[in-house]
Amino acid sequence: MNLQPYIFFYGRCAEALEFYKSAFGGTYESSTVGETPMKDQFPPETHGSVMHASFTAGGVRFFCADGEQRKAIDPDEGNVSLSLAAQDDAEANRIFNALAAGGTVKMPLAPAPWQDGTKFGMVVDKFGIDWMMTSP
């Protein structure tokens, strides 16, 4: 299993990616809402928002996005989720269900519309930690 931080920048993701690239070096890949097969499910004004990005520089690696909502970046509120990539569906289901016990499922673990064969789900555990789960 692989654990990655997932950071939400609430409308400033592209700016943040360039900032971290200048600070750490490295590279990133990103896609906007308008570039995904799900774009019609979102208002047109969000099509330029970063839906998902990955940043890599040496030993530094994280995922990020603009997020579902626009709000000021507030360190006291938090803007980090943890992303788990399971080895298979059975592991993903077991861990997702364990994290959901006493917590809140934000998005059930289900086939991801952006990549065939991949499953994705989001849960907040009973300690308030946001988790994103993917499986091949």
Side-chain angles (χ1 to χ4, degrees), residues 51-108:
M51 179 93 167
H52 176 74
S54 61
F55 179 89
T56 305
V60 175
R61 182 168 164 84
F62 61 86
F63 296 133
C64 58
D66 277 321
E68 297 176 36
Q69 58 204 357
R70 296 288 187 258
K71 67 179 186 178
I73 296 174
D74 182 349
D76 294 332
E77 294 253 341
N79 61 329
V80 176
S81 293
L82 299 176
S83 178
L84 290 170
Q87 298 295 320
D88 55 45
D89 287 346
E91 181 181 50
N93 286 321
R94 180 183 62 77
I95 293 170
F96 188 87
N97 291 333
L99 292 170
T104 304
V105 173
K106 292 171 58 177
M107 181 183 291

Side-chain angles (χ1 to χ4, degrees), residues 12-132:
R12 298 178 64 192
C13 189
E15 176 188 353
L17 286 165
E18 285 297 320
F19 171 77
Y20 292 118
K21 182 178 176 182
S22 70
F24 297 120
T27 60
Y28 64 86
E29 294 180 15
S30 68
S31 60
T32 64
V33 170
E35 294 170 333
T36 69
M38 303 179 336
K39 71 179 180 184
D40 294 335
Q41 298 174 25
F42 295 90
E45 62 270 15
T46 66
H47 288 192
S49 298
V50 176
M51 179 93 167
H52 176 74
S54 61
F55 179 89
T56 305
V60 175
R61 182 168 164 84
F62 61 86
F63 296 133
C64 58
D66 277 321
E68 297 176 36
Q69 58 204 357
R70 296 288 187 258
K71 67 179 186 178
I73 296 174
D74 182 349
D76 294 332
E77 294 253 341
N79 61 329
V80 176
S81 293
L82 299 176
S83 178
L84 290 170
Q87 298 295 320
D88 55 45
D89 287 346
E91 181 181 50
N93 286 321
R94 180 183 62 77
I95 293 170
F96 188 87
N97 291 333
L99 292 170
T104 304
V105 173
K106 292 171 58 177
M107 181 183 291
L109 189 60
W114 56 85
Q115 188 173 355
D116 288 340
T118 300
K119 288 187 177 177
F120 178 79
M122 296 170 37
V123 63
V124 179
D125 71 19
K126 65 182 179 181
F127 299 103
I129 305 299
D130 287 319
W131 295 92
M132 300 172 148

